[in-house]
Amino acid sequence: MSPVVEVRARARLITDGPLTRPVPVDLRYDPADERRTVHIRLPDGTDWAFGRDLLERGLRTPIERGAVRVWPCGRTQLIVELHSTDGVEVFQFEIRTLIRFLARTHAQTPATSPDADREPQPPARTTARPERGAQPARG
C-alpha cells in the first residue's frame, strides 16, 4: 500500500475587506481511495473533499462541481471557492505548491485500476461546522 500524501500549505483567505490573511491548510491524498479524492482541511477543522481532477483542471481553466469552484488567477495563483450553508470561503493558493502536491499524488497512485477513469463523486464537505451557539462534539 502506498503512503498517504500530506502537505502543509499556506493559502490566503480572501475577504470582502481590504486585506487578505494567510491561513495554514492541510492538503491530503490517500492513494487507497479509489475515487481519487483530495482533501483540503481548513484551520477551523472543516475538511473539504473533492475529485483530484477538479483541482488539476482548475489549474488551466475555470471549473465548478457542486459546491466547489476552482480557477487560475494569473500565472502563479489558483483560487478555490467553497460554498456551504454558512456562506462562501475563498482561498488563494500558489500554483507551484499545488503542482508539487498533485505530482506527489500521481507518484503514489497505483498504475491502473478498474476505477481509474470513473468520474469522482461530487464534492463533499466531510466535517460540518457546529451551528451558531452549538458546542462542538467532544470525543
Side-chain angles (χ1 to χ4, degrees), residues 121-139:
Q121 298 295 316
R125 184 177 179 180
T126 57
T127 304
R129 289 189 185 140
E131 303 237 354
R132 286 202 164 89
Q135 294 297 316
R138 302 193 191 272

Side-chain angles (χ1 to χ4, degrees), residues 1 32 44-45 57 63 72 74 77-78 87 90 99 101 106 122 127 136:
M1 178 180 277
D44 68 358
R57 291 178 187 174
I63 186 167
Q77 305 292 318
L78 181 83
V90 180
I99 289 172
F101 170 70
H106 282 284
T127 304

Side-chain angles (χ1 to χ4, degrees), residues 54-100:
L54 183 68
L55 197 54
E56 292 171 330
R57 291 178 187 174
L59 291 169
R60 297 181 304 276
T61 187
I63 186 167
E64 176 180 353
R65 191 174 300 140
V68 180
R69 295 178 181 153
V70 182
W71 68 90
C73 180
R75 296 186 326 192
T76 63
Q77 305 292 318
L78 181 83
I79 304 296
V80 176
E81 183 177 290
L82 307 168
H83 293 254
S84 72
T85 56
D86 293 335
V88 178
E89 292 179 294
V90 180
F91 295 91
Q92 182 180 33
F93 289 88
E94 291 286 329
I95 284 179
R96 66 177 175 228
T97 300
L98 296 175
I99 289 172
R100 281 194 301 264

Side-chain angles (χ1 to χ4, degrees), residues 7-13 21-27 39-46 89 91-93 97:
V7 173
R8 183 76 132 160
R10 185 168 296 277
R12 296 199 70 77
L13 177 62
R21 66 181 170 99
V23 293
V25 296
D26 294 316
L27 305 172
H39 294 261
I40 297 179
R41 186 170 183 91
L42 304 177
D44 68 358
T46 302
E89 292 179 294
F91 295 91
Q92 182 180 33
F93 289 88
T97 300

